[in-house]
Short mmCIF file of all heavy atoms in Angstrom, two decimals:
data_model
loop_
_atom_site.label_atom_id
_atom_site.label_comp_id
_atom_site.label_asym_id
_atom_site.label_seq_id
_atom_site.Cartn_x
_atom_site.Cartn_y
_atom_site.Cartn_z
N ASP A 313 -3.49 -10.07 -9.43
CA ASP A 313 -2.93 -11.36 -9.80
C ASP A 313 -1.78 -11.20 -10.75
O ASP A 313 -1.12 -12.19 -11.14
CB ASP A 313 -4.01 -12.31 -10.37
CG ASP A 313 -4.75 -11.71 -11.57
OD1 ASP A 313 -4.37 -10.62 -12.04
OD2 ASP A 313 -5.70 -12.37 -12.06
N SER A 314 -1.49 -9.96 -11.10
CA SER A 314 -0.26 -9.64 -11.84
C SER A 314 0.98 -9.97 -11.07
O SER A 314 2.10 -10.01 -11.61
CB SER A 314 -0.24 -8.15 -12.29
OG SER A 314 -0.54 -7.32 -11.14
N ASN A 317 3.03 -12.46 -12.67
CA ASN A 317 4.00 -12.06 -13.66
C ASN A 317 5.22 -11.41 -13.02
O ASN A 317 6.36 -11.87 -13.21
CB ASN A 317 3.38 -11.06 -14.63
CG ASN A 317 2.08 -11.54 -15.25
OD1 ASN A 317 1.03 -11.00 -14.96
ND2 ASN A 317 2.14 -12.56 -16.09
N GLU A 323 4.42 -16.38 -17.25
CA GLU A 323 4.05 -15.71 -18.53
C GLU A 323 2.64 -15.09 -18.40
O GLU A 323 2.38 -14.07 -19.05
CB GLU A 323 4.09 -16.69 -19.70
CG GLU A 323 3.81 -16.07 -21.03
CD GLU A 323 3.90 -17.08 -22.17
OE1 GLU A 323 4.18 -18.24 -21.91
OE2 GLU A 323 3.67 -16.66 -23.31
N THR A 324 1.74 -15.73 -17.67
CA THR A 324 0.37 -15.27 -17.52
C THR A 324 0.00 -15.11 -16.06
O THR A 324 0.77 -15.50 -15.16
CB THR A 324 -0.63 -16.22 -18.21
OG1 THR A 324 -0.74 -17.42 -17.40
CG2 THR A 324 -0.21 -16.56 -19.62
N THR A 325 -1.21 -14.61 -15.81
CA THR A 325 -1.68 -14.51 -14.43
C THR A 325 -2.32 -15.79 -13.93
O THR A 325 -2.66 -15.93 -12.73
CB THR A 325 -2.73 -13.39 -14.32
OG1 THR A 325 -3.86 -13.69 -15.14
CG2 THR A 325 -2.16 -12.06 -14.73
N LEU A 326 -2.47 -16.79 -14.76
CA LEU A 326 -3.23 -18.00 -14.41
C LEU A 326 -2.61 -18.84 -13.31
O LEU A 326 -3.35 -19.42 -12.48
CB LEU A 326 -3.49 -18.87 -15.64
CG LEU A 326 -4.70 -18.50 -16.54
CD1 LEU A 326 -4.53 -17.14 -17.16
CD2 LEU A 326 -4.93 -19.58 -17.61
N ASP A 352 -7.41 -9.26 -5.97
CA ASP A 352 -7.90 -10.05 -7.09
C ASP A 352 -8.25 -11.47 -6.67
O ASP A 352 -7.45 -12.11 -5.95
CB ASP A 352 -6.85 -10.14 -8.21
CG ASP A 352 -6.95 -9.02 -9.20
OD1 ASP A 352 -7.99 -8.35 -9.28
OD2 ASP A 352 -5.97 -8.82 -9.94
N PHE A 355 -7.54 -16.90 -10.93
CA PHE A 355 -8.14 -17.80 -11.87
C PHE A 355 -8.49 -19.13 -11.20
O PHE A 355 -7.65 -19.71 -10.51
CB PHE A 355 -7.22 -18.04 -13.06
CG PHE A 355 -7.77 -19.02 -14.08
CD1 PHE A 355 -8.79 -18.66 -14.95
CD2 PHE A 355 -7.26 -20.31 -14.15
CE1 PHE A 355 -9.30 -19.56 -15.87
CE2 PHE A 355 -7.74 -21.22 -15.08
CZ PHE A 355 -8.76 -20.82 -15.94
N LYS A 382 -11.81 -8.30 -6.35
CA LYS A 382 -12.03 -7.95 -7.77
C LYS A 382 -12.15 -9.19 -8.57
O LYS A 382 -11.36 -10.13 -8.41
CB LYS A 382 -10.92 -7.05 -8.30
CG LYS A 382 -11.14 -6.62 -9.77
CD LYS A 382 -10.19 -5.51 -10.20
CE LYS A 382 -8.81 -5.98 -10.46
NZ LYS A 382 -8.73 -6.94 -11.60
N GLU A 384 -12.93 -10.75 -12.69
CA GLU A 384 -12.94 -10.45 -14.14
C GLU A 384 -14.17 -11.08 -14.77
O GLU A 384 -14.47 -12.27 -14.56
CB GLU A 384 -11.71 -11.03 -14.80
CG GLU A 384 -10.41 -10.37 -14.38
CD GLU A 384 -9.21 -10.93 -15.15
OE1 GLU A 384 -9.39 -11.72 -16.10
OE2 GLU A 384 -8.08 -10.56 -14.83
N HIS A 406 -14.36 -6.03 -13.42
CA HIS A 406 -13.21 -5.86 -14.35
C HIS A 406 -13.72 -6.33 -15.74
O HIS A 406 -14.04 -7.50 -15.91
CB HIS A 406 -12.06 -6.70 -13.91
CG HIS A 406 -10.79 -6.52 -14.72
ND1 HIS A 406 -9.54 -6.54 -14.19
CD2 HIS A 406 -10.62 -6.31 -16.05
CE1 HIS A 406 -8.62 -6.38 -15.16
NE2 HIS A 406 -9.28 -6.24 -16.28
N LEU A 407 -13.75 -5.39 -16.69
CA LEU A 407 -14.25 -5.68 -18.02
C LEU A 407 -13.23 -5.20 -19.08
O LEU A 407 -12.27 -4.54 -18.76
CB LEU A 407 -15.58 -4.94 -18.28
CG LEU A 407 -16.74 -5.29 -17.33
CD1 LEU A 407 -17.89 -4.32 -17.61
CD2 LEU A 407 -17.18 -6.73 -17.51
N GLY A 408 -13.44 -5.63 -20.31
CA GLY A 408 -12.52 -5.29 -21.38
C GLY A 408 -11.54 -6.43 -21.55
O GLY A 408 -11.94 -7.62 -21.66
N LEU A 409 -10.25 -6.10 -21.62
CA LEU A 409 -9.25 -7.11 -21.64
C LEU A 409 -9.18 -7.78 -20.28
O LEU A 409 -8.92 -7.09 -19.25
CB LEU A 409 -7.86 -6.53 -21.97
CG LEU A 409 -6.69 -7.49 -21.95
CD1 LEU A 409 -6.85 -8.62 -23.00
CD2 LEU A 409 -5.38 -6.80 -22.13
N THR A 410 -9.46 -9.06 -20.21
CA THR A 410 -9.43 -9.79 -18.96
C THR A 410 -8.31 -10.84 -19.05
O THR A 410 -8.50 -11.88 -19.65
CB THR A 410 -10.82 -10.49 -18.66
OG1 THR A 410 -11.22 -11.16 -19.86
CG2 THR A 410 -11.84 -9.42 -18.30
N PRO A 411 -7.16 -10.53 -18.44
CA PRO A 411 -5.99 -11.39 -18.60
C PRO A 411 -6.18 -12.86 -18.21
O PRO A 411 -5.48 -13.72 -18.74
CB PRO A 411 -4.93 -10.71 -17.70
CG PRO A 411 -5.34 -9.27 -17.71
CD PRO A 411 -6.83 -9.29 -17.69
N GLN A 412 -7.10 -13.16 -17.34
CA GLN A 412 -7.34 -14.53 -16.96
C GLN A 412 -7.95 -15.34 -18.10
O GLN A 412 -7.92 -16.60 -18.09
CB GLN A 412 -8.24 -14.61 -15.71
CG GLN A 412 -7.54 -14.14 -14.43
CD GLN A 412 -8.45 -14.24 -13.23
OE1 GLN A 412 -9.56 -14.85 -13.28
NE2 GLN A 412 -8.04 -13.66 -12.12
N SER A 413 -8.43 -14.63 -19.10
CA SER A 413 -9.02 -15.30 -20.27
C SER A 413 -8.15 -15.21 -21.51
O SER A 413 -8.61 -15.31 -22.63
CB SER A 413 -10.40 -14.65 -20.61
OG SER A 413 -11.31 -14.70 -19.51
N ILE A 414 -6.85 -15.04 -21.26
CA ILE A 414 -5.92 -14.81 -22.37
C ILE A 414 -5.94 -15.96 -23.39
O ILE A 414 -5.84 -15.76 -24.59
CB ILE A 414 -4.46 -14.58 -21.84
CG1 ILE A 414 -3.54 -14.33 -23.03
CG2 ILE A 414 -4.00 -15.75 -20.99
CD1 ILE A 414 -3.92 -13.16 -23.91
N TYR A 415 -6.09 -17.20 -22.95
CA TYR A 415 -6.08 -18.31 -23.87
C TYR A 415 -7.36 -18.37 -24.68
O TYR A 415 -7.41 -18.98 -25.76
CB TYR A 415 -5.79 -19.62 -23.15
CG TYR A 415 -4.38 -19.69 -22.62
CD1 TYR A 415 -4.13 -20.01 -21.30
CD2 TYR A 415 -3.31 -19.45 -23.47
CE1 TYR A 415 -2.82 -20.09 -20.82
CE2 TYR A 415 -1.98 -19.50 -22.97
CZ TYR A 415 -1.77 -19.83 -21.67
OH TYR A 415 -0.47 -19.89 -21.16
N LYS A 416 -8.42 -17.80 -24.16
CA LYS A 416 -9.68 -17.70 -24.92
C LYS A 416 -9.51 -16.64 -26.03
O LYS A 416 -9.90 -16.89 -27.19
CB LYS A 416 -10.83 -17.34 -23.99
CG LYS A 416 -12.14 -17.05 -24.71
CD LYS A 416 -13.19 -16.57 -23.73
CE LYS A 416 -14.45 -16.16 -24.44
NZ LYS A 416 -15.49 -15.65 -23.47
N PHE A 417 -8.97 -15.49 -25.66
CA PHE A 417 -8.82 -14.38 -26.64
C PHE A 417 -7.62 -14.64 -27.57
O PHE A 417 -7.62 -14.24 -28.72
CB PHE A 417 -8.66 -13.05 -25.92
CG PHE A 417 -9.88 -12.65 -25.17
CD1 PHE A 417 -9.75 -12.09 -23.88
CD2 PHE A 417 -11.14 -12.74 -25.72
CE1 PHE A 417 -10.88 -11.72 -23.18
CE2 PHE A 417 -12.26 -12.34 -25.01
CZ PHE A 417 -12.14 -11.84 -23.73
N THR A 419 -4.78 -13.17 -27.42
CA THR A 419 -3.98 -11.97 -27.67
C THR A 419 -4.30 -10.93 -26.59
O THR A 419 -5.36 -10.97 -25.99
CB THR A 419 -4.27 -11.35 -29.06
OG1 THR A 419 -3.55 -10.15 -29.18
CG2 THR A 419 -5.74 -11.06 -29.21
N TYR A 420 -3.34 -10.02 -26.38
CA TYR A 420 -3.55 -8.91 -25.43
C TYR A 420 -3.93 -7.59 -26.13
O TYR A 420 -3.75 -6.55 -25.57
CB TYR A 420 -2.26 -8.70 -24.58
CG TYR A 420 -1.99 -9.74 -23.54
CD1 TYR A 420 -1.02 -10.68 -23.72
CD2 TYR A 420 -2.75 -9.80 -22.39
CE1 TYR A 420 -0.76 -11.66 -22.75
CE2 TYR A 420 -2.51 -10.75 -21.39
CZ TYR A 420 -1.53 -11.69 -21.61
OH TYR A 420 -1.28 -12.64 -20.63
N GLU A 451 -10.09 -2.36 -18.91
CA GLU A 451 -8.72 -2.54 -19.36
C GLU A 451 -8.64 -2.62 -20.88
O GLU A 451 -9.36 -3.40 -21.51
CB GLU A 451 -8.10 -3.81 -18.79
CG GLU A 451 -6.66 -4.05 -19.18
CD GLU A 451 -5.96 -5.14 -18.42
OE1 GLU A 451 -6.57 -5.71 -17.50
OE2 GLU A 451 -4.80 -5.40 -18.73
#
Side-chain angles (χ1 to χ4, degrees):
D313 58 3
S314 47
N317 309 112
E323 184 179 359
T324 72
T325 62
L326 275 66
D352 271 343
F355 178 75
K382 182 168 76 63
E384 294 183 6
H406 185 145
L407 301 172
L409 176 64
T410 48
Q412 291 180 10
S413 302
I414 182 57
Y415 291 128
K416 173 185 175 182
F417 294 135
T419 176
Y420 286 107
E451 181 168 358

